[in-house]
Amino acid sequence: MARVPALFVGALVGLLTLGTLIAVAWRAEFGSGLQAADWAAVRFTVSQAVLSALLSVGLAVPVARALARREFKGRSALITLLGAPFLLPVIVAVLGLLAVFGRGGVLNDLLGLMGLPPVSIYGYHGVVLAHVFFNLPLATRLLLQGWLSIPSERFRLAATLNAPVGRLLEWPMLRRVVPGALLVVFLICLTSFAVALTLGGGPRATTVELAIYQAVRFDFDLGRAALLACVQFVICAVAALLAWQVTAVDGFGAGLDRVVQRWDGSRLADFLWIAVATLFLIVPLAMVVVRGVPGLIDPYSGIWPAAARSVGVAIVSAFLTTIMALTLALRGGRLVAVIGVLPLAASSLVVGTGLFLMVFPFVRPSDLALPVTALVNAALALPFALRSLAPAVESVQADYGRLTAHLGMRGWTVLRLVILPRIRRPLGFATGLAAALSMGDLGVIALFADEQNATLPLEMYRLMGSYRMEEAAGAGLLLVGLSLLLFWICDRGGRINADV
């Protein structure tokens, strides 16, 4: 039903990923090789991603275990809150971390009162701290699903036999789930451009993506930028392939979905882990609100045009993402699945560098900053939208495929009358997620934009670079509000009257 549109979407995704890689490789100066600073960037990128993944998943194990075996008021809200960092614009979260751990942050104020020297968040440890902040909730959600997948009957049987739960039930589950979680977090940390841009702290704390940005924007050394982009793509492709291969299917079975009554472990220790993780998550977000209100009362004059541009880019990007994901989901098949995960192997900076090299001989890149940003954001959000839509479309086709064929319904008629009404919930969620991710992007726009077409995240970064922190906090609070508003509108729109 969607063969030709799916081929078109596949060609577009291929152009934005493999096509831009070819453009990058064509321009890359392989003969000159990587310089000492480039090798340092590669080592820093890989080492911080490894350490960030180990810390995020390692800390998530006791937090997820505590959430899995303790019932308390607000537990559902807390688990929902664990998804907030994924929707939160990276630059805003960095601002919240600076408010807590920065030179003028709460932590250094407390250290000053105690007569202790201040700490700095910039550099290697700051990048790792930010990545743990973003990925600890994600890792906790992934591991929590593993715990909840163990049937409650097995825990009851273990209690009856007085068997060791950790060795017989939890450890086998962790051996299946942890490797995939580690690789997913590792892949995310490899492509975290905004964190390195704001917290990198000099040549010794430069990632490959940051080196690409510096080569294009400051040195205009397109050959070196292309070579670094090839290196980044190879690293991400290997990590994405490993994550795809290692992620295992759970083999416990569904059980009877009873609430698990746990008798093992320390209740105090579990609640301490939950409390510490909650504070680590909530305090920086609260500081963004506290420090952002004065900035919104007397806002920077350029904040509103930048906000309007961000909203426009996010709406266009979300629309493109939804159309592409729906087209691929309707087509289905292994090839479509490969096309859907292909953007995971590419980062926004690599794709942006390739597009920059492709358009530079013909037009000014700044003239295409907004449409290119919307297109790249749509492609990079495609795997997440497809993961939400594909199972729903497959289920509807399995339930109603024979009936629609018997009635002679085809094409647009089936889509309008049968499929779309029954996938409104995942469709709204996917559209809102794509809009929120696009609102907070600080990748391609940093390469292409000039002073006249900056989006809100880029304007916020420029305010932070000028040490106008109150105005930056106001912009950050507005950015969070707009991101959550777009997500809520789309998600809510998909859920209204969706029970068919």
Side-chain angles (χ1 to χ4, degrees), residues 18 59 62-63 117 240 272 322 342 436 479:
L18 300 179
L59 294 173
V63 176
L272 283 177
T322 305
L342 191 60
L479 181 57

Side-chain angles (χ1 to χ4, degrees), residues 270-348:
D270 285 345
F271 280 109
L272 283 177
W273 277 109
I274 294 172
V276 171
T278 303
L279 287 175
F280 180 60
L281 175 64
I282 288 181
V283 171
L285 302 181
M287 292 302 298
V288 171
V289 176
V290 170
R291 297 196 173 185
V293 170
L296 275 182
I297 294 176
D298 185 19
Y300 165 63
S301 60
I303 191 175
W304 301 113
R309 286 188 287 267
S310 288
V311 171
V313 168
I315 292 174
V316 173
S317 178
F319 176 77
L320 292 175
T321 299
T322 305
I323 294 298
M324 291 192 295
L326 183 58
T327 302
L328 293 178
L330 290 171
R331 176 60 181 167
R334 185 177 297 273
L335 180 60
V336 169
V338 173
I339 294 173
V341 301
L342 191 60
L344 291 176
S347 69
S348 60

Side-chain angles (χ1 to χ4, degrees), residues 167-222:
R167 181 169 62 86
L168 295 180
L169 296 181
E170 295 178 328
W171 176 243
M173 179 274 296
L174 289 174
R175 283 190 302 178
R176 284 191 296 271
V177 176
V178 165
L182 281 170
L183 285 168
V184 168
V185 175
F186 175 76
L187 181 61
I188 292 174
C189 296
L190 283 178
T191 58
S192 181
F193 169 68
V195 171
L197 182 65
T198 51
L199 300 177
R204 293 186 179 180
T206 298
T207 62
V208 176
E209 288 203 338
L210 186 53
I212 295 171
Y213 171 73
Q214 293 169 345
V216 173
R217 294 293 294 181
F218 299 109
D219 303 330
F220 204 68
D221 188 348
L222 299 183

Side-chain angles (χ1 to χ4, degrees), residues 424-473:
R424 285 185 55 183
R425 291 178 184 272
L427 188 67
F429 175 81
T431 305
L433 181 61
L437 292 176
S438 181
M439 277 294 299
D441 178 71
L442 186 59
V444 176
I445 194 67
L447 283 177
F448 279 76
D450 55 18
E451 296 292 336
Q452 283 70 42
N453 49 24
T455 57
L456 193 53
L458 183 57
E459 197 67 48
M460 182 180 168
Y461 168 71
R462 291 172 177 173
L463 290 171
M464 292 170 63
S466 303
Y467 297 100
R468 299 162 66 177
M469 302 305 291
E470 184 175 292
E471 294 172 330

Side-chain angles (χ1 to χ4, degrees), residues 223-243:
R224 178 168 171 261
L227 180 59
L228 289 168
C230 290
V231 172
Q232 176 74 0
F233 186 90
V234 170
I235 296 173
C236 292
V238 171
L241 181 61
L242 288 175

